[in-house]
Amino acid sequence: MKIFRIVLIASVLALSVLFFFRTPSYWTGVNIKMSANAPWGSPAAQASMKQLAQTGARMGMLVAFAWQDKPESVTPVLGNDSQPDTIRQGLRDIRAAGLTPMLKIHLWIPWHWAGEVAPAQMDEWFANYQKAIMPLIDIAREENVPAVFAGTELRGVETASQWPALVSAIRAHYAGQVIYDTDSLEQAEKFQHWDLFDAVATSLYTALPDTQKDRIGVMTDNARRLQNLGEKWKRPVWVAELGLRSGQGILQRPWMSPEQVKVPVDLAIQKTVLTEWRDTLTTHGVTGISIWCWYTDPHDGGTDSSDFTVQNKPASSVLSRPAFRF
């Protein structure tokens, strides 16, 4: 009897430890871009998705593009690499690897960031944007995709009054979660249409200090603000793009691409900082984190790459979930 009591007490203590130190509930994933030399449906793309699944990631966000020629244009159309058949195959490749697919729609404007979109006529732009993306929404429904990003970082149209009509039209075709991704925490706090969507989602490319203590302080402030935003709108919070290059001297300018600035490779800083972000964000209630980015070419990234991708780099470990956090 005494032995039974000891075993019982030990079991209760063990369960208590598991409860108080359990890993918070969240998922990890990546934004996936199609490589020209490894199109969806190819053996290379399928190998890349298996490689991604082996990291511990749960979600694969397929990045699809609408395209327009200049910021003031009112005629967005689907990009040549984002036609319905291509996107359908991509979603199937992601699922076949054991990952949950999501569809994430971006706007591509040559030589411009998507947030610079500034339609000459807002009604016409929203009507044509809806027309352009609706075939992809239909594909998402047919492929049982659980979430679709109706837009990404469209700062120039975020205050428009046309959002309710667009989201309503999407929901008429699609029963899954409808999401929007702002380009920054500051824009997420300004955005007034979160009630239309199923989560508060933002990209995070926050400038960070070099010292760990100060860096964690900035991350904690960001995480608390996101937590407050989720509570305000009564929505789960996702970081739909969390990116950092594997390069020296990029912490103060993490949004800068390799085309904008060349830096020496630093694999350790990417792994360290993305892990700090993951742990800080999830401790403060963020329920989903998607890293920028991953490619369908299984040989992309690697130890000589200073690009954002975590592919074939130590930083891919951020996609796995630690068993416990003490």
Side-chain angles (χ1 to χ4, degrees):
M1 190 68 176
K2 185 177 180 181
I3 294 175
F4 175 77
R5 287 178 180 173
I6 291 172
V7 171
L8 180 62
I9 291 170
S11 299
V12 170
L13 288 173
L15 289 171
S16 298
V17 169
L18 288 173
F19 176 81
F20 286 109
F21 295 104
R22 71 192 188 281
T23 303
S25 177
Y26 67 92
W27 54 261
T28 59
V30 294
N31 289 256
I32 307 170
K33 298 177 68 178
M34 188 178 77
S35 308
N37 65 330
W40 290 116
S42 68
Q46 292 162 0
S48 181
M49 294 305 98
K50 290 178 182 177
Q51 179 189 56
L52 172 58
Q54 290 169 358
T55 67
R58 287 179 53 196
M59 303 288 183
M61 289 185 181
L62 191 159
V63 176
F65 289 97
W67 180 94
Q68 63 185 59
D69 62 344
K70 52 189 177 181
E72 60 270 25
S73 172
V74 296
T75 55
V77 296
L78 284 184
N80 290 333
D81 62 352
S82 298
Q83 295 299 308
D85 287 347
T86 300
I87 300 307
R88 187 191 298 277
Q89 184 60 59
L91 295 170
R92 290 181 175 180
D93 285 352
I94 293 168
R95 178 170 277 125
L99 298 158
T100 298
M102 294 187 186
L103 175 63
K104 189 160 179 275
I105 299 171
H106 286 235
L107 181 66
W108 181 262
I109 310 173
W111 309 111
H112 292 274
W113 167 52
E116 296 176 64
V117 61
Q121 215 294 325
M122 200 69 76
D123 281 336
E124 190 172 354
W125 185 88
F126 268 90
N128 285 323
Y129 182 75
Q130 177 182 319
K131 181 180 178 181
I133 70 171
M134 203 56 73
L136 301 189
I137 303 298
D138 289 336
I139 294 295
R141 181 191 69 246
E142 293 164 8
E143 295 298 322
N144 297 311
V145 173
V148 164
F149 283 76
T152 302
E153 300 184 0
L154 298 172
R155 185 186 291 200
V157 298
E158 283 178 354
T159 61
S161 61
Q162 288 82 0
W163 283 103
L166 173 65
V167 176
S168 178
I170 291 172
R171 292 195 187 279
H173 284 244
Y174 172 75
Q177 293 182 298
V178 182
I179 314 293
Y180 177 72
D181 176 24
T182 62
D183 64 78
S184 64
L185 173 56
E186 290 74 21
Q187 287 304 117
E189 290 171 329
K190 293 177 183 177
F191 192 60
Q192 294 301 305
H193 296 296
W194 290 125
D195 58 320
L196 300 173
F197 298 96
D198 295 299
V200 170
T202 191
S203 301
L204 275 186
Y205 296 94
T206 305
L208 295 168
D210 289 319
T211 63
Q212 185 183 48
K213 180 181 178 181
D214 293 339
R215 198 162 59 234
I216 296 297
V218 172
M219 291 177 180
T220 301
D221 175 69
N222 276 239
R224 286 173 175 163
R225 288 164 63 187
L226 282 171
Q227 190 173 38
N228 291 338
L229 200 55
E231 291 171 356
K232 174 183 176 180
W233 291 96
K234 297 179 175 57
R235 297 289 188 276
V237 178
W238 297 358
V239 175
E241 285 186 27
L242 180 63
L244 188 77
R245 290 174 58 189
S246 50
Q248 295 178 16
I250 43 70
L251 289 180
Q252 287 79 41
R253 46 183 180 170
W255 54 86
M256 300 291 281
S257 70
E259 293 76 25
Q260 293 172 302
V261 59
K262 305 293 184 183
V263 295
V265 173
D266 187 341
L267 299 173
I269 195 66
Q270 184 187 43
K271 178 181 178 180
T272 296
V273 173
L274 288 179
T275 302
E276 290 169 351
W277 265 126
R278 179 198 66 190
D279 294 347
T280 304
L281 291 167
T282 57
T283 298
H284 289 82
V286 170
T287 58
I289 297 175
S290 187
I291 302 297
W292 186 270
C293 60
W294 195 277
Y295 293 94
T296 55
D297 180 352
H299 304 295
D300 214 304
T303 57
D304 60 349
S305 167
S306 70
D307 205 343
F308 287 97
T309 182
V310 298
Q311 207 165 350
N312 298 307
K313 297 179 185 178
S316 64
S317 65
V318 76
L319 297 167
S320 64
R321 288 168 48 89
F324 301 104
R325 185 173 302 151
F326 293 95

